[in-house]
Structures are given as C-alpha cells and as structure tokens.
Amino acid sequence: MRGDTPAVGTLRLLTPGPGRSALALAHPNIALVKYWGKRDERLVLPWTSSLSMTLDVFPTTTWVRLDPSLTRDRVTLNGAPATDEALHRVTAFLELVREIAGRDRRAVVDTSNTVATGAGLASSASGFAALAVAATAAYGLRLHPTALSRLARRGSGSASRSVFGGFAVWHAGRDTDAAEEADLASYAEPVPAADLDPALVVAVVDSGAKAVSSREAMRRTVATSPLFRPWAAASRGDLDTMRAALQRGDLAAVGDIAERNALGMHAAMLAARPAVRYLSPDTIAVLDCVLQLRRDGVAAYSTMDAGPNVKVLCHRADAEQVAEAVRVAAPQATVFVAGPGPGARLLSEGS
Ligand code: 2P0
C-alpha cells in the first residue's frame, strides 16, 4: 500500500504522543440515508453522502500493542486468529497508520465485537472506528476528529460515521480526479438535531454471516443494477430533506425518508445481475408489523442494511410497545432497544 497513497500526507494534523499500546471503544451506527456504492474502491469514496445514528449498544473494543519482535501483524478477532480477508483488511489499515506515523513496527491487535460479525449489524463500522482510535494512539499519533474520520473511512466506509456520537453525516466529497483533493473532502461530522427522543428497535431475525459481503454486493449493484443511479440521485434529495427534518425535530419525517431510502437501496440490489437479496420472510413480517403500528397511530419506520435484520426508528417512549409488537410478528427474532450512543474514544494507553 505504501507509495500508492498520495493523500496520506494530508492526514498529518497531529502532534506525537507516547504510543506503544492503546485500548479503544466504538459503537456501531445505523444509516438513515444509506451509503451504497463506491466511486473509488482504493480510497473508499462513496457515490453519495450518508447520514446515520450511532447506537449505545453492541460496542467493539480494540487493543493495539506495538511489538518489536514481530515481522508481521498478529490479529485476533473475537478470540480467534484473523485470517484471509479480515486479516488483510486490518493489516492494510495498519500499513496506512504506519505510513502516517513514519514507523515500521508491527502490531498485535485484539478486537472483540459484542454482536455477531458480518450479520448486517455494522460490526465493521465500530470495528474500524475503534481500530483507528487505538492504532493511531499506539503509533503515537493525535489526529483531529475530521482526520480520524477520514482514516477510519479507509478501513470501512461506514466507520467514518462511528467516530462521532449521535447523528453524523458522511460527505461524499467532491467529484474530482485529484485523489488527494477527493480524499480530503470525504469525512463525517456531527449533524445538528433538535431533541427527537429517538430509539432504534433492532430485530435480529438472523445472526448468521451474510452470503454476499456488503463490499461485493455494493460493487455488483453499481456495476449492473439499472436502478442504482436513480436511487443515488434520489438519495441526494433524501439527505437534504432529512437534515431539515432533524433540525426541526420531526421524527415522522426522518423515519419516512429513512424507510424509503432503505427500500430504494434494496430495490437497487434486487435489480442487480445476479440479484442481491438480503430480505427474508422474517424481514417482511417485521416490515408488515411496522406498517400496522403506523396504522394504529405509532410513529415507527423501518430500515434494513446488508442483511435481513430490521431496525425500527421510533420515539423512545414507544420503544417497548414497538419491540413487543415485533416480537409477536417474528417470534424467533432477538429484539433489542437502542438509543443514540457516543463517538469512538480512547479508554487507556500505555508505553
Ligand atoms: C450504511 N452499509 O450506510 C450501509 C447501508 C450497509 C447498508 O455501510 O466496503 O461495511 O467496508 O466500505 O461500510 C456496509 O458497508 O462497507 C454499509 P465498506 P461497509 O451503513
């Protein structure tokens, strides 16, 4: 990766710290206006801007320790040695951090998710946000939150948003051929919101790993789906109207936009060739339940990511009623209530 990352120098908004080892914590986020599709795979630049809520559940903790005796990085994921794609992604990310820090030393990384990895519950968002915080601290870097968000983006696009708590927007940035300029312009930042009293009821209908990774599914959707570009165009409008709805504290409008944006994203995936279908009969049962809740006067709105699980946006005061209705509609689902959570943070560091 060295030598082909001209934009890295621009991340040097830092002062050196002590380094050596660090422990960090980050929470997943759920997008209300989705990120789906990259215009640049290497720099992880998205086609469209996205907007999310960071959760207060399912955190990832990541410990990074520099070890002079190692010739390659050693990565443990949920207690087992990481292999293949997961190992490659973490090592490539550490290469990027080493390049910024001007250091060669390899690292031991130990990371644990409190939710099933790869089940469409944003474990890569919390994972790379926590890794960005822990690795930069271990290598003695202190990054501005904007630079940290841009760095986390290189690990996994949605991780750029988990750097921040509450609602965050990830800017797609400028469409330019200049890699450094494009990289600089694509980062997340907090979004002003009136008090919405929001909750997300998370219905885990299937916690197994997905058949098609979101990375591959995005690639296929962009390359083959005739519905991708219309969805992307609509998504730009969705972002503007959602920002306005957040500012005036209009949860019904936020939910309405989130639901149509997610359904549009899945429609684009279904039109890919071959089709990417994450939605299952249990997903549809929860979607029907949410429609019925709305008919009964409860403000509840569905969103789904790269998997069959459904997250239902509602007022905190209605969350238990919504959770109970979802449990009845999908009895085998595990249902959690989440609220807005904090941004990624350093828990401790040692030398
Ligand atoms: C999102 N998702 O906005 C969208 C909606 C899933 C559906 O971000 O390839 O793991 O690592 O940049 O961030 C999942 O994709 O993808 C995702 P990469 P990521 O939350």
Side-chain angles (χ1 to χ4, degrees):
M1 184 169 280
R2 269 158 212 256
D4 68 354
T5 50
V8 160
T10 59
L11 285 167
R12 287 178 194 269
L13 300 168
L14 50 96
T15 54
R20 289 282 220 17
S21 83
L23 179 69
L25 177 84
H27 288 79
N29 68 77
I30 298 300
L32 302 175
V33 174
K34 304 294 187 188
Y35 148 52
W36 197 252
K38 297 176 185 65
R39 66 182 205 275
D40 184 314
E41 293 255 346
R42 184 178 65 83
L43 291 172
V44 193
L45 296 171
W47 271 87
T48 55
S49 299
S50 55
L51 191 154
S52 62
M53 185 175 102
T54 298
L55 305 186
D56 59 357
V57 295
F58 311 139
T60 297
T61 45
T62 299
W63 187 63
V64 176
R65 177 173 59 83
L66 308 194
D67 186 335
S69 71
L70 293 180
T71 54
R72 59 180 60 183
D73 298 312
R74 212 166 60 207
V75 180
T76 304
L77 180 58
N78 296 324
T83 54
D84 306 327
E85 177 70 7
L87 177 62
H88 170 74
R89 281 179 68 175
V90 172
T91 303
F93 189 82
L94 291 172
E95 277 298 313
L96 197 52
V97 177
R98 282 191 279 267
E99 187 169 325
I100 302 165
R103 309 270 303 266
D104 284 335
R105 198 159 279 186
R106 305 293 139 173
V108 177
V109 176
D110 192 345
T111 186
S112 301
N113 294 319
T114 47
V115 67
T117 303
L121 282 168
S123 55
S124 71
S126 52
F128 278 100
L131 182 62
V133 172
T136 50
Y139 280 97
L141 302 174
R142 289 290 179 272
L143 299 190
H144 184 279
T146 302
L148 193 63
S149 173
R150 285 169 41 225
L151 175 64
R153 186 198 84 222
R154 299 287 294 272
S156 191
S158 53
S160 64
R161 302 184 308 236
S162 274
V163 167
F164 301 100
F167 294 99
V169 61
W170 169 22
H171 302 289
R174 282 186 292 280
D175 207 5
T176 160
D177 287 339
E180 182 163 345
E181 215 181 297
D183 174 52
L184 271 173
S186 186
Y187 55 86
E189 63 181 347
V191 172
D195 191 12
L196 292 169
D197 187 31
L200 272 174
V201 174
V202 181
V204 181
V205 301
D206 183 352
S207 61
K210 51 199 166 223
V212 186
S213 73
S214 53
R215 200 155 269 206
E216 166 54 25
M218 270 183 213
R219 202 175 279 141
R220 198 188 297 171
T221 309
V222 172
T224 71
S225 174
L227 301 189
F228 176 70
R229 277 165 182 74
W231 172 78
S235 203
R236 294 187 182 101
D238 288 347
L239 184 81
D240 293 340
T241 38
M242 182 164 301
R243 287 185 74 130
L246 281 170
Q247 260 179 337
R248 62 176 192 273
D250 185 345
L251 183 120
V254 170
D256 199 47
I257 298 160
E259 192 171 285
R260 76 185 186 209
N261 187 269
L263 288 169
M265 177 186 75
H266 282 275
M269 286 185 218
L270 286 166
R273 294 159 194 183
V276 179
R277 184 171 64 84
Y278 288 122
L279 312 184
S280 72
D282 290 329
T283 313
I284 305 299
V286 178
L287 296 183
D288 281 345
C289 165
V290 169
L291 279 180
Q292 187 58 49
L293 280 164
R294 282 217 293 277
R295 281 187 212 110
D296 295 342
V298 180
Y301 304 87
S302 301
T303 184
M304 298 81 65
D305 294 292
N309 304 313
V310 185
K311 297 91 185 181
V312 185
L313 180 72
C314 61
H315 284 293
R316 173 67 87 168
D318 295 331
E320 279 314 321
Q321 182 190 349
V322 170
E324 205 38 51
V326 169
R327 285 188 190 104
V328 171
Q332 65 302 334
T334 310
V335 181
F336 303 88
V337 176
R345 68 181 190 274
L346 195 59
L347 294 179
S348 66
E349 62 186 318
S351 55

